Amino acid sequence: MIGELVKRYLRMDRLPHMWCPGCGHGIALGALLRAFDRVKIDKDRTVILSGIGCASRVVGYLDFSTVHTTHGRALAFATGLRLVRDDVKVIVIMGDGDALAIGGNHFIHACRRNIDITAIVLNNQIYGMTGGQSSPTTPQSMLSTTTPYGNFARAFDFCNLAIGAGATYVARATTYHVSLMTELYASAIKHHGFSFVETFTQCPVNYGRRNKFPDPASMLKYMKDISVPFKVAQNMGSDELQGKIVIGELIKEKEDVELNKVVRERIMKFRGGAQ
């Protein structure tokens, strides 16, 4: 099955991929291909964009109309595209540093505007491609090349930030939970409005080896052990949830007013109804 999807959705001449052995991004890419198949995505009516970093390579392998943009600006490019082309599905793939450091401002405003974009962030809690610097999601006390004595700052909670900023679909999975990840990607793609899926993924080279994870499998097991399904988390206190990852659909609003729809109606009004 996955072999058929690889031939259908990937640029075969770009393989083999450039990710490090044990990297979780390939697992996320596999889940994305299964989600494409589940929603019967129209390749000719889909544009996929990325910023810079390891996660951006996902877009390079996908045989769609793709745009490799500048660091942190993928959502800005996607917003412009969505406003002028409401006949295409727009998907953005980003890493945690790309989306929340230099791209943080674009992220919160894309949530606020409820633009009809699906944003997927592969959160490996580190700048992997550039040598293992700490990112906005590196947990406190964890080691990186820029925090050799442990990270002093608190990490952003991606999903809580998205919910607070107004995203109408927010979900989270890990690369251990492949079936859930596929389901969430498919739901996000079908959602009308700004949909966001955070995927915790492992970087064994630049994060794992500095933080006493002996191999990629131990990182997957760690993600399994600290994950709590959303429904279970509803009956847990804040102290019990410390250090846990809540997975599943965290918010899914049914009534959406997409910015691109509002803008289009306003333009039509000023044009007197003419196209």
Side-chain angles (χ1 to χ4, degrees):
M1 178 64 175
I2 190 65
E4 295 176 12
L5 300 182
V6 165
K7 293 178 183 176
R8 189 184 310 164
Y9 294 122
L10 294 189
R11 294 168 172 145
M12 301 302 291
D13 60 334
R14 299 290 179 89
L15 301 177
H17 62 75
M18 50 74 71
W19 291 312
C20 302
C23 174
H25 288 9
I27 300 174
L29 174 58
L32 188 60
L33 301 188
R34 293 183 181 92
F36 287 160
D37 183 61
R38 187 170 297 183
V39 303
K40 307 300 179 190
I41 201 162
D42 184 347
K43 290 175 62 174
D44 295 328
R45 293 285 181 182
T46 303
V47 182
I48 307 177
L49 304 92
S50 74
I52 299 293
C54 298
S56 72
R57 297 314 306 156
V58 169
V59 172
Y61 301 130
L62 291 170
D63 187 20
F64 287 70
S65 295
T66 58
V67 186
H68 193 186
T69 73
T70 49
H71 200 194
R73 314 301 183 197
L75 282 171
F77 281 84
T79 298
L81 173 64
R82 194 68 185 91
L83 288 177
V84 297
R85 288 293 304 269
D86 60 0
D87 60 326
V88 297
K89 182 66 188 176
V90 178
I91 300 172
V92 179
I93 313 289
M94 299 170 285
D96 45 296
D98 188 39
L100 268 194
I102 193 170
N105 196 36
H106 298 300
F107 180 77
I108 59 174
H109 288 288
C111 294
R112 174 179 67 86
R113 292 165 180 151
N114 195 32
I115 307 163
D116 191 13
I117 294 171
T118 295
I120 295 173
V121 168
L122 305 184
N123 180 8
N124 59 11
Q125 305 175 301
I126 201 85
Y127 281 93
M129 181 174 280
T130 52
Q133 298 87 354
S134 64
S135 84
T137 60
T138 302
Q140 272 186 315
S141 79
M142 301 306 278
L143 303 178
S144 70
T145 54
T146 50
T147 57
Y149 304 107
N151 182 30
F152 300 127
R154 291 181 294 176
F156 263 129
D157 184 319
F158 247 124
C159 288
N160 281 345
L161 181 64
I163 292 170
T168 51
Y169 182 96
V170 178
R172 181 190 286 126
T174 81
T175 46
Y176 179 85
H177 304 87
V178 176
S179 296
L180 174 65
M181 186 170 26
T182 302
E183 177 186 337
L184 298 179
Y185 287 172
S187 296
I189 292 169
K190 289 190 292 185
H191 182 76
H192 296 290
F194 189 80
S195 56
F196 169 65
V197 182
E198 177 185 20
T199 303
F200 273 87
T201 177
Q202 71 276 13
C203 175
V205 173
N206 275 318
Y207 184 84
R209 66 175 177 157
R210 289 189 173 87
N211 289 288
K212 300 181 179 178
F213 289 99
D215 52 45
S218 66
M219 301 185 77
L220 284 169
K221 184 177 184 305
Y222 178 72
M223 287 192 282
K224 168 183 173 288
D225 291 343
I226 65 171
S227 294
V228 179
F230 178 66
K231 289 184 179 178
V232 176
Q234 298 306 293
N235 297 315
M236 296 174 65
S238 57
D239 289 344
E240 294 176 287
L241 289 172
Q242 282 293 322
K244 303 293 185 183
I245 301 172
V246 179
I247 57 174
E249 279 186 347
L250 308 187
I251 188 170
K252 183 178 183 180
E253 295 184 4
K254 295 181 179 178
E255 298 297 329
D256 309 321
V257 180
E258 304 159 21
L259 178 70
N260 43 299
K261 184 181 296 184
V262 174
V263 170
R264 187 170 61 253
E265 290 174 352
R266 195 66 56 87
I267 291 173
M268 290 292 288
K269 177 182 178 181
F270 284 115
R271 287 179 176 176
Q275 291 287 345

